[in-house]
Amino acid sequence: MCFDDRPVVTVTLEERVLARNDDLARANRELLTARGIRAINLMSSPGSGKTTLLERTVRELRRPVAVIEGDQRTPLDADRIRAAGAPVVQVNTGAGCHLDAAMTRRALDDLDPPPGSLLFVENVGNLICPSLFDLGEHARVVIVSVTEGADKPLKYPYMFAVADLVVINKTDLLPYVDFDVDACRRHIAAVNPGATTLTVSATRGEHLPDWYAWLTDGAG
Amino acid sequence: MHELAIAENIVDTVCTRAAGRPVRRVTVRIGALTAVLPDAMRLCWDLAATGTAAHGAALDLDLRPAVVFCRACRTDQRLPDMIPLCPCGSADVTVTTGRELHIVSMEVA
Protein backbone atom coordinates (compact mmCIF):
# COMPACT_ATOMS: atom_id res chain seq x y z
CA MET A 1 0.00 0.00 0.00
CA CYS A 2 2.68 2.43 -1.03
CA PHE A 3 0.05 5.03 -1.94
CA ASP A 4 -1.55 5.22 1.50
CA ASP A 5 0.40 8.20 2.82
CA ARG A 6 -0.22 10.25 -0.29
CA PRO A 7 -2.85 12.96 0.15
CA VAL A 8 -6.02 12.51 -1.83
CA VAL A 9 -6.20 15.17 -4.52
CA THR A 10 -9.17 16.17 -6.63
CA VAL A 11 -8.47 16.49 -10.31
CA THR A 12 -10.93 18.44 -12.46
CA LEU A 13 -11.51 16.69 -15.76
CA GLU A 14 -14.68 18.12 -17.39
CA GLU A 15 -14.25 15.62 -20.19
CA ARG A 16 -17.04 14.27 -22.34
CA VAL A 17 -17.64 10.62 -21.44
CA LEU A 18 -17.93 9.62 -25.07
CA ALA A 19 -15.07 11.86 -26.23
CA ARG A 20 -13.09 8.92 -27.58
CA ASN A 21 -16.03 7.52 -29.52
CA ASP A 22 -16.92 10.97 -30.83
CA ASP A 23 -13.33 11.60 -31.98
CA LEU A 24 -13.23 8.25 -33.79
CA ALA A 25 -16.63 8.96 -35.34
CA ARG A 26 -15.41 12.33 -36.62
CA ALA A 27 -12.38 10.62 -38.19
CA ASN A 28 -14.68 8.05 -39.85
CA ARG A 29 -16.89 10.82 -41.23
CA GLU A 30 -13.89 12.72 -42.62
CA LEU A 31 -12.54 9.59 -44.26
CA LEU A 32 -15.90 8.78 -45.86
CA THR A 33 -16.54 12.36 -46.98
CA ALA A 34 -13.09 12.52 -48.60
CA ARG A 35 -14.00 9.45 -50.67
CA GLY A 36 -17.37 10.84 -51.70
CA ILE A 37 -19.17 8.17 -49.65
CA ARG A 38 -22.40 9.04 -47.81
CA ALA A 39 -23.02 6.93 -44.71
CA ILE A 40 -26.41 6.19 -43.19
CA ASN A 41 -26.88 4.71 -39.73
CA LEU A 42 -30.01 2.55 -39.89
CA MET A 43 -31.61 1.87 -36.52
CA SER A 44 -34.78 0.17 -35.28
CA SER A 45 -36.10 -2.54 -33.02
CA PRO A 46 -35.47 -6.15 -34.15
CA GLY A 47 -37.85 -7.27 -36.88
CA SER A 48 -38.92 -3.88 -38.24
CA GLY A 49 -37.62 -4.72 -41.73
CA LYS A 50 -34.17 -3.09 -41.89
CA THR A 51 -32.60 -5.90 -43.85
CA THR A 52 -35.58 -6.31 -46.19
CA LEU A 53 -35.49 -2.59 -46.98
CA LEU A 54 -31.75 -2.83 -47.64
CA GLU A 55 -32.06 -5.90 -49.89
CA ARG A 56 -34.54 -4.05 -52.02
CA THR A 57 -32.46 -0.85 -52.00
CA VAL A 58 -29.36 -2.76 -53.11
CA ARG A 59 -31.30 -4.19 -56.06
CA GLU A 60 -33.16 -1.05 -57.10
CA LEU A 61 -31.12 2.05 -56.28
CA ARG A 62 -29.07 3.36 -59.17
CA ARG A 63 -26.00 4.02 -57.06
CA PRO A 64 -23.41 1.58 -55.68
CA VAL A 65 -24.37 0.45 -52.19
CA ALA A 66 -22.15 -1.13 -49.52
CA VAL A 67 -23.34 -2.40 -46.14
CA ILE A 68 -21.98 -2.94 -42.65
CA GLU A 69 -24.28 -5.37 -40.82
CA GLY A 70 -24.44 -5.28 -37.03
CA ASP A 71 -26.01 -8.11 -35.06
CA GLN A 72 -25.28 -9.81 -31.77
CA ARG A 73 -24.69 -13.11 -33.54
CA THR A 74 -24.78 -14.93 -36.90
CA PRO A 75 -23.81 -13.84 -40.45
CA LEU A 76 -27.42 -14.34 -41.64
CA ASP A 77 -28.11 -10.71 -42.55
CA ALA A 78 -24.79 -10.32 -44.36
CA ASP A 79 -25.65 -13.42 -46.42
CA ARG A 80 -28.92 -11.79 -47.47
CA ILE A 81 -27.22 -8.52 -48.48
CA ARG A 82 -24.49 -10.37 -50.38
CA ALA A 83 -27.16 -12.38 -52.23
CA ALA A 84 -28.82 -9.08 -53.17
CA GLY A 85 -25.55 -8.00 -54.77
CA ALA A 86 -23.76 -5.57 -52.45
CA PRO A 87 -20.36 -5.83 -50.73
CA VAL A 88 -20.98 -6.39 -47.02
CA VAL A 89 -19.12 -6.92 -43.75
CA GLN A 90 -20.84 -8.51 -40.76
CA VAL A 91 -19.98 -7.24 -37.29
CA ASN A 92 -21.09 -9.51 -34.46
CA THR A 93 -21.14 -7.59 -31.21
CA GLY A 94 -21.48 -10.68 -28.98
CA ALA A 95 -22.90 -9.35 -25.73
CA GLY A 96 -22.90 -5.78 -27.05
CA CYS A 97 -26.17 -4.03 -27.80
CA HIS A 98 -24.94 -1.37 -30.24
CA LEU A 99 -22.20 -0.55 -32.73
CA ASP A 100 -19.62 2.10 -31.86
CA ALA A 101 -17.19 4.17 -33.89
CA ALA A 102 -14.24 1.81 -33.35
CA MET A 103 -16.20 -1.23 -34.60
CA THR A 104 -17.36 0.81 -37.56
CA ARG A 105 -13.77 1.77 -38.40
CA ARG A 106 -12.59 -1.85 -38.36
CA ALA A 107 -15.52 -2.84 -40.56
CA LEU A 108 -14.76 0.06 -42.93
CA ASP A 109 -11.16 -1.08 -43.27
CA ASP A 110 -12.37 -4.59 -44.19
CA LEU A 111 -15.17 -3.44 -46.48
CA ASP A 112 -13.33 -0.63 -48.28
CA PRO A 113 -16.51 0.73 -49.87
CA PRO A 114 -16.02 2.12 -53.40
CA PRO A 115 -15.68 5.91 -53.79
CA GLY A 116 -19.01 7.58 -54.49
CA SER A 117 -21.04 4.76 -52.96
CA LEU A 118 -23.82 4.89 -50.41
CA LEU A 119 -22.85 3.09 -47.21
CA PHE A 120 -25.52 1.69 -44.92
CA VAL A 121 -24.62 0.71 -41.39
CA GLU A 122 -27.38 -1.56 -40.15
CA ASN A 123 -27.15 -1.16 -36.41
CA VAL A 124 -28.02 -3.84 -33.85
CA GLY A 125 -31.81 -4.13 -33.53
CA ASN A 126 -32.43 -2.05 -30.40
CA LEU A 127 -34.43 1.14 -29.85
CA ILE A 128 -32.33 2.46 -26.97
CA CYS A 129 -28.55 2.01 -26.91
CA PRO A 130 -27.53 2.81 -30.52
CA SER A 131 -28.96 6.34 -30.20
CA LEU A 132 -25.99 7.39 -28.04
CA PHE A 133 -23.14 6.30 -30.28
CA ASP A 134 -22.05 8.37 -33.27
CA LEU A 135 -20.50 6.03 -35.84
CA GLY A 136 -19.37 8.70 -38.27
CA GLU A 137 -22.54 8.63 -40.35
CA HIS A 138 -23.94 11.57 -42.32
CA ALA A 139 -27.60 10.77 -41.57
CA ARG A 140 -29.61 8.67 -39.14
CA VAL A 141 -32.66 6.71 -40.23
CA VAL A 142 -35.01 5.06 -37.73
CA ILE A 143 -37.49 2.45 -38.96
CA VAL A 144 -40.71 1.66 -37.12
CA SER A 145 -43.11 -0.97 -38.46
CA VAL A 146 -46.89 -0.86 -38.17
CA THR A 147 -46.92 -4.10 -36.17
CA GLU A 148 -45.00 -2.35 -33.37
CA GLY A 149 -47.60 0.24 -32.38
CA ALA A 150 -47.98 3.94 -33.13
CA ASP A 151 -46.83 4.96 -29.66
CA LYS A 152 -43.23 3.75 -30.11
CA PRO A 153 -41.85 7.29 -30.65
CA LEU A 154 -43.20 8.30 -27.22
CA LYS A 155 -42.00 5.11 -25.53
CA TYR A 156 -38.50 5.27 -27.04
CA PRO A 157 -38.02 9.02 -27.48
CA TYR A 158 -34.21 9.05 -27.33
CA MET A 159 -34.01 7.03 -30.52
CA PHE A 160 -36.62 9.03 -32.43
CA ALA A 161 -35.09 12.31 -31.21
CA VAL A 162 -31.83 11.63 -33.09
CA ALA A 163 -33.43 10.61 -36.41
CA ASP A 164 -33.12 12.67 -39.59
CA LEU A 165 -35.69 10.40 -41.23
CA VAL A 166 -38.26 8.02 -39.75
CA VAL A 167 -39.53 5.30 -42.08
CA ILE A 168 -42.89 3.75 -41.15
CA ASN A 169 -42.60 0.27 -42.71
CA LYS A 170 -44.94 -2.67 -43.45
CA THR A 171 -47.82 -0.45 -44.60
CA ASP A 172 -49.16 -3.48 -46.53
CA LEU A 173 -50.22 -4.83 -43.10
CA LEU A 174 -52.28 -1.74 -42.19
CA PRO A 175 -55.62 -3.44 -42.97
CA TYR A 176 -54.83 -6.13 -40.39
CA VAL A 177 -53.42 -4.14 -37.47
CA ASP A 178 -54.62 -1.32 -35.25
CA PHE A 179 -52.04 1.30 -36.25
CA ASP A 180 -52.89 5.00 -36.64
CA VAL A 181 -50.35 6.44 -39.12
CA ASP A 182 -51.35 10.05 -38.38
CA ALA A 183 -50.98 9.50 -34.64
CA CYS A 184 -47.55 7.96 -35.21
CA ARG A 185 -46.49 10.98 -37.30
CA ARG A 186 -47.73 13.31 -34.54
CA HIS A 187 -45.73 11.39 -31.92
CA ILE A 188 -42.61 11.54 -34.08
CA ALA A 189 -43.07 15.30 -34.55
CA ALA A 190 -43.57 15.74 -30.81
CA VAL A 191 -40.18 14.27 -29.89
CA ASN A 192 -38.39 15.45 -33.03
CA PRO A 193 -39.99 18.39 -34.87
CA GLY A 194 -37.22 18.37 -37.51
CA ALA A 195 -37.56 14.73 -38.63
CA THR A 196 -38.85 13.77 -42.06
CA THR A 197 -41.34 10.87 -42.13
CA LEU A 198 -42.01 8.35 -44.93
CA THR A 199 -44.44 5.44 -45.10
CA VAL A 200 -43.34 2.40 -47.15
CA SER A 201 -43.81 -1.32 -47.59
CA ALA A 202 -40.39 -2.81 -48.20
CA THR A 203 -41.83 -6.21 -49.15
CA ARG A 204 -44.44 -4.87 -51.60
CA GLY A 205 -42.47 -1.86 -52.83
CA GLU A 206 -45.13 0.71 -51.93
CA HIS A 207 -43.74 4.25 -51.84
CA LEU A 208 -40.16 3.07 -52.19
CA PRO A 209 -39.53 5.80 -54.80
CA ASP A 210 -39.97 8.27 -51.90
CA TRP A 211 -37.24 6.43 -50.01
CA TYR A 212 -34.94 6.45 -53.03
CA ALA A 213 -35.64 10.16 -53.58
CA TRP A 214 -34.73 10.86 -49.95
CA LEU A 215 -31.53 8.85 -50.30
CA THR A 216 -30.63 10.85 -53.41
CA ASP A 217 -31.70 14.31 -52.25
CA GLY A 218 -32.02 14.21 -48.48
CA ALA A 219 -29.06 12.05 -47.60
CA GLY A 220 -27.04 12.15 -50.77
CA MET B 1 -27.24 -2.08 -21.47
CA HIS B 2 -25.14 0.70 -22.96
CA GLU B 3 -24.32 1.85 -19.42
CA LEU B 4 -21.61 -0.83 -19.26
CA ALA B 5 -19.93 0.65 -22.36
CA ILE B 6 -20.31 4.12 -20.83
CA ALA B 7 -18.82 2.94 -17.53
CA GLU B 8 -15.89 1.34 -19.35
CA ASN B 9 -15.27 4.62 -21.20
CA ILE B 10 -15.20 6.49 -17.88
CA VAL B 11 -12.87 3.94 -16.26
CA ASP B 12 -10.50 4.13 -19.27
CA THR B 13 -10.40 7.91 -19.14
CA VAL B 14 -9.83 8.27 -15.40
CA CYS B 15 -7.23 5.50 -15.29
CA THR B 16 -5.32 7.14 -18.14
CA ARG B 17 -5.47 10.53 -16.45
CA ALA B 18 -4.52 9.05 -13.06
CA ALA B 19 -1.32 7.67 -14.60
CA GLY B 20 -1.03 4.70 -12.27
CA ARG B 21 -2.26 6.33 -9.05
CA PRO B 22 -5.31 4.72 -7.44
CA VAL B 23 -8.60 6.49 -8.14
CA ARG B 24 -10.77 6.93 -5.02
CA ARG B 25 -13.81 8.79 -6.33
CA VAL B 26 -15.21 9.86 -9.70
CA THR B 27 -17.93 12.45 -10.30
CA VAL B 28 -19.98 12.14 -13.47
CA ARG B 29 -22.64 14.58 -14.69
CA ILE B 30 -25.62 12.97 -16.43
CA GLY B 31 -28.40 14.93 -18.13
CA ALA B 32 -31.96 13.65 -18.21
CA LEU B 33 -31.96 13.64 -22.03
CA THR B 34 -28.99 11.30 -22.47
CA ALA B 35 -30.67 7.87 -22.14
CA VAL B 36 -28.21 6.94 -19.40
CA LEU B 37 -29.94 5.44 -16.37
CA PRO B 38 -28.34 6.34 -13.02
CA ASP B 39 -29.25 2.99 -11.44
CA ALA B 40 -27.81 1.04 -14.36
CA MET B 41 -24.64 3.19 -14.22
CA ARG B 42 -24.16 2.38 -10.55
CA LEU B 43 -24.70 -1.30 -11.28
CA CYS B 44 -22.10 -1.31 -14.07
CA TRP B 45 -19.55 0.87 -12.30
CA ASP B 46 -18.00 -1.73 -9.98
CA LEU B 47 -17.95 -4.25 -12.80
CA ALA B 48 -16.12 -1.87 -15.14
CA ALA B 49 -13.68 -0.71 -12.44
CA THR B 50 -12.71 -4.18 -11.15
CA GLY B 51 -9.05 -4.93 -11.73
CA THR B 52 -8.20 -1.35 -12.79
CA ALA B 53 -6.69 1.63 -10.97
CA ALA B 54 -10.31 2.66 -10.25
CA HIS B 55 -11.06 -0.61 -8.42
CA GLY B 56 -13.27 0.24 -5.44
CA ALA B 57 -13.62 3.91 -6.39
CA ALA B 58 -16.86 5.63 -5.39
CA LEU B 59 -19.08 6.93 -8.17
CA ASP B 60 -20.89 10.24 -7.56
CA LEU B 61 -23.59 11.16 -10.06
CA ASP B 62 -24.53 14.79 -10.60
CA LEU B 63 -27.95 14.47 -12.25
CA ARG B 64 -29.15 17.41 -14.36
CA PRO B 65 -32.79 17.94 -15.35
CA ALA B 66 -33.96 18.64 -18.88
CA VAL B 67 -34.45 22.42 -19.21
CA VAL B 68 -35.39 24.35 -22.33
CA PHE B 69 -35.41 28.07 -23.08
CA CYS B 70 -38.62 29.06 -24.85
CA ARG B 71 -38.23 31.84 -27.43
CA ALA B 72 -41.97 32.52 -27.48
CA CYS B 73 -42.48 33.31 -23.78
CA ARG B 74 -38.76 33.89 -23.02
CA THR B 75 -38.66 31.65 -19.97
CA ASP B 76 -36.69 28.59 -18.88
CA GLN B 77 -38.87 25.54 -18.44
CA ARG B 78 -38.09 22.19 -16.91
CA LEU B 79 -39.36 19.32 -19.09
CA PRO B 80 -41.30 16.48 -17.44
CA ASP B 81 -40.39 14.17 -20.36
CA MET B 82 -38.45 14.03 -23.64
CA ILE B 83 -40.91 16.18 -25.59
CA PRO B 84 -39.35 19.57 -26.38
CA LEU B 85 -42.47 21.63 -25.79
CA CYS B 86 -42.98 24.69 -23.55
CA PRO B 87 -46.09 24.68 -21.30
CA CYS B 88 -47.10 27.87 -23.20
CA GLY B 89 -47.63 25.62 -26.23
CA SER B 90 -44.60 26.73 -28.24
CA ALA B 91 -42.16 24.19 -29.73
CA ASP B 92 -39.67 26.98 -30.48
CA VAL B 93 -37.36 25.92 -27.67
CA THR B 94 -33.64 25.34 -27.17
CA VAL B 95 -32.35 22.71 -24.77
CA THR B 96 -30.15 24.42 -22.17
CA THR B 97 -29.43 21.50 -19.83
CA GLY B 98 -30.11 17.77 -19.98
CA ARG B 99 -27.66 16.64 -22.67
CA GLU B 100 -24.61 16.53 -20.37
CA LEU B 101 -22.54 13.36 -20.17
CA HIS B 102 -19.29 14.51 -18.59
CA ILE B 103 -16.64 13.24 -16.26
CA VAL B 104 -16.50 16.20 -13.90
CA SER B 105 -13.59 15.26 -11.63
CA MET B 106 -11.79 12.46 -9.83
CA GLU B 107 -9.99 12.03 -6.55
CA VAL B 108 -6.68 10.22 -6.70
CA ALA B 109 -4.51 9.07 -3.83
Side-chain angles (χ1 to χ4, degrees), chain A residues 6 9 11 13-15, chain B residues 17 21 101 103-104 106 108:
Chain A
R6 284 200 196 177
V9 290
V11 181
L13 296 170
E14 282 298 344
E15 192 164 320
Chain B
R17 296 287 291 267
R21 300 175 72 178
L101 192 53
I103 307 167
V104 179
M106 64 177 177
V108 293

Side-chain angles (χ1 to χ4, degrees), chain A residues 3-4 6-18 20 97-98 128-129 132-133 154 157-158 190-191, chain B residues 1-2 6 10 12-13 17 20-22 29 32-35 82-84 101-108:
Chain A
F3 291 114
D4 275 0
R6 284 200 196 177
V8 171
V9 290
T10 301
V11 181
T12 303
L13 296 170
E14 282 298 344
E15 192 164 320
R16 283 173 297 132
V17 169
L18 293 175
R20 192 173 305 172
C97 51
H98 58 268
I128 307 170
C129 311
L132 271 172
F133 294 85
L154 297 180
Y158 300 102
V191 296
Chain B
M1 198 55 154
H2 50 284
I6 304 267
I10 297 168
D12 275 357
T13 300
R17 296 287 291 267
R21 300 175 72 178
R29 185 177 300 132
L33 298 173
T34 58
M82 280 282 296
I83 297 177
L101 192 53
H102 285 117
I103 307 167
V104 179
S105 62
M106 64 177 177
E107 289 178 11
V108 293

Side-chain angles (χ1 to χ4, degrees), chain B residues 15-34:
Chain B
C15 289
T16 304
R17 296 287 291 267
R21 300 175 72 178
V23 179
R24 301 287 196 221
R25 178 178 300 274
V26 176
T27 303
V28 175
R29 185 177 300 132
I30 299 177
L33 298 173
T34 58

Side-chain angles (χ1 to χ4, degrees), chain B residues 13-71:
Chain B
T13 300
V14 296
C15 289
T16 304
R17 296 287 291 267
R21 300 175 72 178
V23 179
R24 301 287 196 221
R25 178 178 300 274
V26 176
T27 303
V28 175
R29 185 177 300 132
I30 299 177
L33 298 173
T34 58
V36 176
L37 282 183
D39 284 348
M41 268 300 294
R42 292 188 187 97
L43 186 71
C44 294
W45 175 250
D46 290 340
L47 202 62
T50 298
T52 73
H55 188 110
L59 175 68
D60 282 345
L61 299 182
D62 172 18
L63 304 179
R64 293 296 168 101
V67 175
V68 295
F69 174 72
C70 173
R71 272 182 290 274

Side-chain angles (χ1 to χ4, degrees), chain A residues 29-48:
Chain A
R29 194 156 26 246
E30 285 169 5
L31 175 90
L32 291 163
T33 304
R35 294 186 191 170
I37 299 166
R38 300 296 289 180
I40 293 177
N41 184 358
L42 198 56
M43 297 175 283
S44 79
S45 57
S48 66

